[in-house]
Amino acid sequence: MLEIRHLAKKFGGLVATNDVSFIVPEGRITALIGPNGAGKTTIFAQISGFHRPDGGDILFQGRSLVGMAPEAICRLGIARTFQIVQPFAGLSVRENIAVGAHLHRAGRRAALDHAEAVAKQVGLAAQLDKPAAALTVAGRKRLELAKALATDPKLLLLDEVMAGLNPAEIDEIIPVIRGIRASGVTILLIEHVMRAVVNLSEHAWVLNNGSLIASGTPAEIAADPQVIEAYLGHGAAQRMQAGTATAGVRHA
C-alpha cells in the first residue's frame, strides 16, 4: 500500500532521514520504532505532506505523494495523529470528531452521525457531549485517534498514541487499534511502548540517527544487537550476552 523509496531530509546540517526505504503492506499493522530523535516523526511529516523530502519518493497505492498538500493527501486516504494532542478545546467531543468527518460529508447531520459512529469505535460514546477540554489524557488520545479515523482513511499513521498512558489504559486501547485494522484500515505506528509493538505489529522497521538499522518481527528486532545498542548504548549487546552466558554457567 505504501512504499518509501530512498527518502532523504535535512534541516540545515542535521540529517533527519538518510536513504530510508521500507514498505507497509495493505491490511496489516506495521511499526516504525527507534530511540528519541531517530527521525520517525519526520518520516510521518513527509508522508503526510507537512515536509517535502529533499530526495527519494513516497508512493501510496502506486501514486507519488511528493509535492502534494496535506489536505490532498488526506483526501486520498492517509490520516495521521500527532504526538502532542491539541483538540478544539471550545468544542464538544462530537464536534471535534465531526471536523474530520466533514472531509467527505458536506452536510452537518451526516458529519455528526459519522462522528457518533467513530466515537463508539474508539470508546468515546459516553463522552460525546463533553467539552474536549474536560477529557483526561487517555480521553484526549482517543479523541486524537477518532479525529483521524473520521476522515475515512485507508492508511492510518499513529504517532505515539499510547504515550503518557498508564499500563491499564494501554491494555484498553490495544484492542481498539486491533478493531480499526479489522475494519479494513492499514496502520503504520510509531510507538515506544514495546508491549504494544509486540502485541499489535506483525513487522517492525527500526530507525536510528535517520537511517534504518533493522527490520523483522518484534521478537527478531528485540534480539538484534544493533537495536539493543541503539536503545541502550554502545557495548550494551555485548554486556547482555556476557550476562546471559554467566547466568547459564551459574545455572549449570
Side-chain angles (χ1 to χ4, degrees):
M1 173 174 274
L2 180 73
E3 184 177 359
I4 307 299
R5 293 180 178 174
H6 308 292
L7 202 63
K9 182 67 182 177
K10 291 183 179 180
F11 297 101
L14 174 67
V15 178
T17 51
N18 178 31
D19 194 27
V20 173
S21 298
F22 65 89
I23 60 170
V24 178
E26 185 173 358
R28 302 174 100 180
I29 300 177
T30 303
L32 180 62
I33 69 171
N36 287 327
K40 304 181 298 296
T41 295
T42 300
I43 288 178
F44 269 23
Q46 291 173 87
I47 294 170
S48 54
F50 289 90
H51 291 323
R52 181 166 185 151
D54 295 324
D57 205 355
I58 303 165
L59 301 175
F60 177 61
Q61 296 184 320
R63 178 175 179 174
S64 177
L65 302 180
V66 174
M68 294 182 65
E71 60 271 22
I73 291 172
C74 187
R75 191 171 291 279
L76 280 180
I78 298 178
R80 67 167 292 190
T81 66
F82 292 83
Q83 286 183 26
I84 301 174
V85 295
Q86 295 182 316
F88 301 107
L91 301 181
S92 68
V93 169
R94 187 192 309 269
E95 290 166 331
N96 265 266
I97 303 172
V99 171
H102 272 297
L103 181 68
H104 296 294
R105 295 165 184 80
R108 178 170 173 78
R109 184 70 264 161
L112 290 173
D113 287 346
H114 186 59
E116 185 171 344
V118 172
K120 290 177 181 177
Q121 191 174 3
V122 302
L124 285 175
Q127 303 185 72
L128 274 165
D129 297 315
K130 179 182 286 189
L135 291 176
T136 63
V137 171
R140 290 187 179 207
K141 289 286 187 175
R142 289 182 186 240
L143 179 56
E144 181 76 2
L145 179 58
K147 286 162 59 182
L149 198 57
T151 65
D152 298 320
K154 300 171 186 173
L155 173 64
L156 184 58
L157 310 178
L158 300 182
D159 195 347
E160 295 194 38
V161 75
M162 296 177 218
L165 303 185
N166 63 42
E169 291 166 340
I170 291 169
D171 288 341
E172 289 170 357
I173 203 168
I174 284 174
V176 172
I177 295 173
R178 283 202 192 107
I180 292 170
R181 192 273 300 271
S183 72
V185 179
T186 301
I187 296 173
L188 174 62
L189 63 88
I190 293 171
E191 195 53 68
H192 282 296
V193 180
M194 291 308 296
R195 184 166 82 257
V197 172
V198 170
N199 278 280
L200 286 170
S201 63
E202 296 150 277
H203 193 93
W205 299 87
V206 187
L207 198 69
N208 188 39
N209 294 326
S211 299
L212 287 173
I213 60 170
S215 71
T217 66
E220 288 169 344
I221 62 171
D224 189 302
Q226 286 191 86
V227 177
I228 294 169
E229 301 240 333
Y231 275 95
L232 301 179
H234 180 69
Q238 188 174 0
R239 290 193 298 272
M240 289 178 67
Q241 186 176 14
T244 301
T246 302
V249 170
R250 289 173 180 169
H251 181 73

